[in-house]
Amino acid sequence: MMSSHIASAIGHPNIALIKYWGNRDHNLRLPSNGSLSMTLGDLETVTQVTFDPSMTEDRLYLNENAISGPSLDRVSLHLDVIRTMAKLSFKAEIISHSNFPVGAGIASSASGFAALTVAAAAAAGLELNPSQLSRIARLGSGSACRSIFGGYVEWKAGTNDHNSFAETIADQDHWDLVDIIVIVEEGHKSVGSTSGHKLAESSPLQDARIHDTERRLSICRQAILQRDFLSLASIVEEDSNMMHAIMMTSRPQLLYWRPETVAIMKSIQEWRHAGMQVCFTIDAGPNVHCLCPSRYKDQVGDLLKQIPGVIRLIHSVPGGAAHLLPIKSPSID
Ligand code: DP6
């Protein structure tokens, strides 16, 4: 059979309900704690990978821009893992498009490395199951291992390179939650997650957070399985606050919030105390992810837009797994 060495895949970002923060092994991205997320269907990264024997170096294009430096190095390193597995030495062209702002705490690396892993593995001729793809995606970006799967996804921390990967705990249509991402700042955050994970252990609070993880995971898992929004809301906010407490007490300290971030957090809590089903969670950036059952989304959206400093809202419902796409212009070789 002739092999074309080209493949295209789609991946979605995810919002962590129980956060991954800190690694026991930074190179292998073995996390200090397990985590749980919802895959975000409306946001997507589509990536095409072509292994080409005539190329002398990897080339990367993100939303039509040629990328060099650390971002290209990180992608090349990830392709090396796949090239080694496939016993392939060809360099690659990687063309990637995302339909949402990258680097602003919306987990672009998760969808990016999930799509890259699925496309590159297929282009290299590897036939891998989702657990294997999740394990490989994890090496590129920890949270990407969750984006291999759709719906509500748990990443079991594991103890080594082989047993640290994610799995779906409930399908995307299990619960119609909506994530309304409240943008208060566009553009790149100053300290990315990879550097942040390395600071986590410098916080004297991190040990306590890690030891408490099983409790939070189990409350969150149960809340999802039983579609119990109020239990979900309190554990999701508690977990987000715990992660930000680690960030704020790391050396050097990391403070991602802006005044608008806090104003939104307080408003959401007031709305919930007044009877609405809504809660917040915040990743490594100032933007707030506002979660609610879909029947509240218009009401919540209208209220959020009235808060000063809110630039725009991005809505997403639970989404599916990363998967291969047909190639637009098939090559003949
Ligand atoms: C705050 O997966 O982006 O979003 O492994 O270095 O790529 P790298 O880090 P990344 O970290 C995600 C951090 C988080 C929480 C989460 O998604 O669990």
Side-chain angles (χ1 to χ4, degrees), residues 14-16 18-21 23 29 35 74 107 109-110 138 140-144 146 155 189 193-195 197 243 247 282-284:
N14 62 77
I15 178 61
I18 300 295
K19 311 289 187 190
Y20 148 51
W21 199 247
N23 287 314
R29 286 188 162 84
S35 55
R74 187 170 171 185
S109 64
R138 189 202 77 231
S141 173
S143 54
R146 299 188 307 242
W155 174 10
K189 55 199 176 197
S193 302
T194 304
S195 321
H197 289 297
M243 180 183 72
M247 293 162 163
I282 304 164
D283 279 346

Side-chain angles (χ1 to χ4, degrees), residues 1-284:
M1 203 182 86
M2 284 192 290
S3 163
S4 58
H5 293 306
I6 179 169
S8 174
I10 185 169
H12 303 284
N14 62 77
I15 178 61
L17 306 171
I18 300 295
K19 311 289 187 190
Y20 148 51
W21 199 247
N23 287 314
R24 53 195 284 176
D25 183 319
H26 292 292
N27 287 333
L28 292 174
R29 286 188 162 84
L30 294 178
S32 303
N33 63 280
S35 55
L36 224 158
S37 60
M38 178 176 107
T39 302
L40 300 175
D42 297 273
L43 310 183
E44 60 186 47
T45 300
V46 173
T47 300
Q48 179 174 297
V49 177
T50 312
F51 289 106
D52 182 342
S54 72
M55 288 174 63
T56 54
E57 54 193 22
D58 293 326
R59 281 201 297 267
L60 170 65
Y61 301 89
L62 296 182
N63 289 346
E64 322 296 340
N65 298 313
I67 305 291
S68 57
S71 298
L72 172 62
D73 296 344
R74 187 170 171 185
V75 165
S76 285
L77 215 59
H78 195 61
L79 290 181
D80 286 345
V81 172
I82 290 163
R83 282 188 276 245
T84 304
M85 285 179 77
K87 298 188 174 58
L88 187 74
S89 59
F90 302 161
K91 299 295 180 190
E93 181 185 64
I94 308 107
I95 302 175
S96 187
H97 291 97
S98 291
N99 70 349
F100 59 95
V102 296
I106 316 182
S108 57
S109 64
S111 56
F113 278 95
L116 178 69
T117 302
V118 172
L126 295 172
E127 283 178 22
L128 303 174
N129 65 38
S131 310
Q132 291 169 314
L133 289 167
S134 175
R135 191 181 73 72
I136 296 167
R138 189 202 77 231
L139 296 168
S141 173
S143 54
C145 80
R146 299 188 307 242
S147 280
I148 293 294
F149 295 92
Y152 297 85
V153 179
E154 181 167 355
W155 174 10
K156 301 251 199 292
T159 51
N160 61 47
D161 185 28
H162 293 280
N163 62 18
S164 185
F165 55 84
E167 65 184 22
T168 293
I169 63 159
D171 288 336
Q172 66 187 102
D173 51 9
H174 167 73
W175 195 7
D176 59 346
L177 292 186
V178 174
D179 181 11
I180 306 176
I181 309 169
V182 191
I183 306 292
V184 296
E185 186 178 290
E186 307 258 16
H188 274 270
K189 55 199 176 197
S190 47
V191 179
S193 302
T194 304
S195 321
H197 289 297
K198 293 188 175 144
L199 294 178
E201 62 213 57
S202 72
S203 165
L205 307 183
Q206 173 75 341
D207 272 354
R209 177 181 164 275
I210 299 307
H211 281 113
D212 180 63
T213 304
E214 266 320 311
R215 181 189 68 88
R216 298 192 311 285
L217 278 173
S218 122
I219 294 172
C220 187
R221 210 184 285 127
Q222 281 306 109
I224 291 169
L225 295 178
Q226 295 168 0
R227 302 186 194 88
D228 175 351
F229 189 83
L230 291 180
S231 297
L232 183 80
S234 64
I235 201 65
V236 162
E237 289 187 358
E238 180 181 331
D239 183 83
S240 173
N241 287 344
M242 268 196 192
M243 180 183 72
H244 285 272
I246 304 304
M247 293 162 163
M248 289 178 207
T249 53
S250 294
R251 302 180 190 122
Q253 57 172 281
L254 285 175
L255 176 59
Y256 285 108
W257 298 349
R258 293 174 55 102
E260 297 82 358
T261 312
V262 179
I264 295 163
M265 293 162 77
K266 288 182 93 60
S267 297
I268 289 173
Q269 284 183 333
E270 278 163 24
W271 302 336
R272 191 161 75 252
H273 292 143
M276 283 174 72
Q277 295 199 356
V278 56
C279 71
F280 67 78
T281 183
I282 304 164
D283 279 346

